[in-house]
Amino acid sequence: MSIHLLGGGWADDESRWTGRFIDEARQRAGGPPTIVVVLWAADEAEGATWHADYVDDLTKLGAGTVNVVQLTAERTLLPTDLGGADGIFIGGGLTPGYHAAVMPAADTIRGLVSTGVPYAGFSAGAMIAGDVALLGGWRIGGVPVTAQSNAEGLDDVTLDAGLGLIDLVVDVHCAQFGTLSRAVALVHAGLAERVVAIDENTSLIIGPGGLEVAGDGSVWTADRDGERVSIGVLAA
């Protein structure tokens, strides 16, 4: 089973990227799978406005049961929330909020993934998936490296311990929000050796066969190359 990192974005047909995650969950379940969707919002009422969209999208792609777990600043993820999951889907929103609320169950998530439960991270859920999570921010050393609209409430570009599912630092909404510059700046400043920045409506799939890209866009890579930063593109 695989780790599916989704760069965000909504589309009428998500079968080529999100659908790959549902297919793996169905394989594990031997039938229509149970998907646990983890969402974070400032309060439960705000979060509830997104529940139907996630349930409808995943059901349309073949999920059998979709259990939504709504997290807030006061309600963090519990290991018992993930019971019976054939697939774990962590949604999008404010990345620092997701990070704070999901990390208390990081050991449980890693354990389930190690037994073959596929993981999908959508936007924020992708950014916190790595050994090191990118929480947001728009400046490094006081110098702007991306638009302030990408800051997620943080001034300095901020890294912290992530879920530990992969050894990559992940950024999202790359072509749409212009986050490639932040990825390059992270490597140039010595804050990361490699960063991947994923376009919307696109997934980076990390599985037994290595890296694969699915969907409409690309996955951009920034790697340390001596004193330089090397940029690459992985396309579907």
Side-chain angles (χ1 to χ4, degrees), residues 36-161:
V36 175
V37 175
V38 178
L39 301 178
W40 183 92
D43 58 63
E44 290 187 11
E46 177 189 342
T49 63
W50 294 99
H51 291 190
D53 288 335
Y54 280 97
V55 172
D56 289 349
D57 282 354
L58 295 174
T59 300
K60 180 175 65 177
L61 293 170
T65 301
V66 179
N67 298 327
V68 179
V69 180
Q70 182 61 60
L71 306 180
T72 64
E74 291 75 34
R75 187 352 182 147
T76 61
L77 188 62
L78 303 173
T80 52
D81 292 327
L82 301 170
D86 299 308
I88 300 168
F89 187 106
I90 297 187
L94 188 68
T95 304
Y98 272 91
H99 181 260
V102 171
M103 283 303 293
D107 288 346
T108 300
I109 293 173
R110 282 195 299 271
L112 289 169
V113 171
S114 73
T115 66
V117 174
Y119 173 95
F122 177 90
S123 190
M127 291 175 72
I128 68 171
D131 295 336
V132 176
L134 171 59
L135 304 188
W138 69 292
R139 298 198 288 193
I140 294 177
V143 178
V145 297
T146 189
Q148 190 173 2
S149 56
N150 296 326
E152 305 213 48
L154 301 170
D155 187 67
D156 292 334
V157 173
T158 302
L159 302 172
D160 205 341

Side-chain angles (χ1 to χ4, degrees), residues 33 199 224:
D199 287 347
R224 171 67 62 187

